[in-house]
Amino acid sequence: MADYGFNTLAVHAGAQPDPATGARATPIYQTTAFVFEDADHAAALFNLQVFGNVYTRLMNPTTAVLEERVAALENGRAGLACASGHSAQLLTFHTLMSPGDEFVAARQLYGGSVNQFNQSFAKFDWRVKWADTTNPDSFKAQITDKTKAIYAESIANPGGLITDIEALAKIAHDAGVPLIIDNTLASPYLIRPIEWGADIVLHSATKFLGGHGNSMAGVIVDGGKFDWGSGKFPTLSEPSPSYHGMRMWETFGDMAFAITTRVFALRDLGPALSPMNAFLVLTGTETLPLRMQRHCDNALTVAKWLKANPKVEWVNYAGLPDNPSYKLHQKYCPKGAGSVFTFGLKGGYEAGIRLVNSVKLFSHVANIGDTRSLIIHPASTTHRQLADEDRAKAGAGNDVVRLSIGIEDSADIIADLEQALA
Ligand SMILES: *Cc1c(COP(=O)(O)O)cnc(C)c1O
């Protein structure tokens, strides 16, 4: 499969006609458990001496196709799917962190990730330190001997800022820690972070990979190149009590991170993906290149139109030549700058409310990466609890509107914004 081009991999990677029935589409293996051949087979499975299906919380044939598909698209070594993007984050850090450990994260992140890192991870005593995506050296300044990873989004939600992945990879590797990239907004069609030095790639497959706004899912991709033997990552390098003292890094080599995360974090924390959702996301991946290109082309058309509109104060889209991220856009994702961006209304808070109340084609929802065009006014929704000043710092000032441009006709998207702004 490795020799095929991206469009071919999107349709075929990981899949084959069903050996039992000849079904051409990947069947939904809607089962909890799988029958052992005999007692020896069962023992070998439990000892991790052979790989196979035991119980759907750990592994499922439909989900396995999705895992291999996304790993191939990201040019990684192995994939692991789970129930949501947030659970992909939880599972990844569970493998890397011990209580008291730290990681350095970009401040410019999806709001839900900021909450997860600040609030819920604190309960495990996993400590986040914040840095600024636009200044890679600010990550270096936060690194201590307790640091276990650097974390950023390839294209940041909601600001659309593009991360200098190569620069962050160098800082991470100089410190002996992996670079984790949340590639949700770019998708592997636009950016393949592993090729720029990232070690672990995460997805909220709920968004562009699935692409149709119909199912929650997360995927972790192990780049397979990181050396886990330094002693910084005991879950990977030290003998494991739950597998008779097996050392995961020594035993599984370039797939150690993916396998460890499956057999410890997913096994014990439990956010498994349902086979039905694996099937829906898998179907979505087949059209990823077609959809992403249309998303990006439409977004650029809409961003240009907004920029020329007298009711609009500013437009923040990396695809516009005067945007601070434009150079990074040309370097990392020349095919497009994604479909999520923000703009500011001259009328402020009230104008934002009127706009989301007046759109007809756009849907007013807290989501992105749907075939449909989506809109939200963060100050009156996702960020309404915050004080004015804190909203502004989070990129959710009173005048900010976030769009996720769909794959409809761009003329219809623009016509809807035009009537709503009027
Ligand atoms: C939505 C999102 C997440 C969280 O994913 P869920 O599937 O909603 O759990 C993480 N990162 C980014 C960039 C997102 O947009």
Side-chain angles (χ1 to χ4, degrees), residues 15 23 32 87 129 176 191 232 296 301 421:
T32 305
S87 59
K129 293 197 161 180
I191 304 180
K232 267 182 185 284
C296 292
T301 306
L421 283 167

Side-chain angles (χ1 to χ4, degrees), residues 181-391:
I181 293 289
D182 177 338
N183 201 29
T184 299
L185 264 66
S187 90
Y189 174 72
L190 295 177
I191 304 180
R192 283 192 284 185
I194 291 166
E195 293 176 355
W196 298 101
D199 302 289
I200 297 162
V201 170
L202 303 184
H203 277 281
S204 170
T206 313
K207 316 290 172 53
F208 293 99
L209 288 182
H212 294 72
N214 60 19
S215 23
M216 306 287 305
V219 181
I220 300 166
V221 178
D222 180 353
K225 291 182 193 132
F226 194 80
D227 180 344
W228 301 105
S230 67
K232 267 182 185 284
F233 306 96
T235 307
L236 285 144
S237 62
E238 298 310 303
S240 131
S242 62
Y243 290 105
H244 309 296
M246 182 183 277
R247 292 172 191 263
M248 305 306 281
W249 166 233
E250 192 181 286
T251 309
F252 297 111
D254 65 359
M255 299 213 297
F257 181 80
I259 293 174
T260 304
T261 304
R262 182 189 301 280
V263 304
F264 295 108
L266 183 59
R267 182 196 67 178
D268 294 350
L269 298 175
L273 182 59
S274 77
M276 178 73 194
N277 280 12
F279 171 82
L280 289 165
V281 175
L282 186 66
T283 304
T285 61
E286 294 176 12
T287 54
L288 177 72
L290 300 170
R291 285 184 291 106
M292 279 317 284
Q293 194 59 58
R294 173 72 77 85
H295 277 298
C296 292
D297 294 349
N298 279 356
L300 182 59
T301 306
V302 173
K304 284 181 181 159
W305 180 83
L306 282 168
K307 207 169 158 83
N309 190 293
K311 296 196 167 105
V312 172
E313 183 76 41
W314 52 267
V315 178
N316 186 16
Y317 183 57
L320 297 174
D322 62 349
N323 189 275
S325 277
Y326 187 73
K327 274 216 171 83
L328 290 170
H329 152 55
Q330 287 184 307
K331 171 173 174 177
Y332 286 102
C333 47
K335 288 191 291 235
S339 93
V340 177
F341 65 94
T342 51
F343 68 97
L345 285 166
K346 286 191 179 141
Y349 192 91
E350 293 307 318
I353 301 251
R354 277 203 304 277
L355 179 63
V356 296
N357 279 338
S358 309
V359 288
K360 293 183 179 132
L361 183 64
F362 275 84
S363 303
H364 180 203
V365 297
N367 191 23
I368 58 165
D370 195 324
T371 49
R372 290 154 276 257
S373 288
L374 313 176
I375 188 168
I376 198 162
H377 177 231
S380 62
T381 53
T382 50
H383 291 69
R384 69 174 295 127
Q385 263 49 283
L386 302 183
D388 278 5
E389 191 189 332
D390 293 337
R391 272 186 209 154

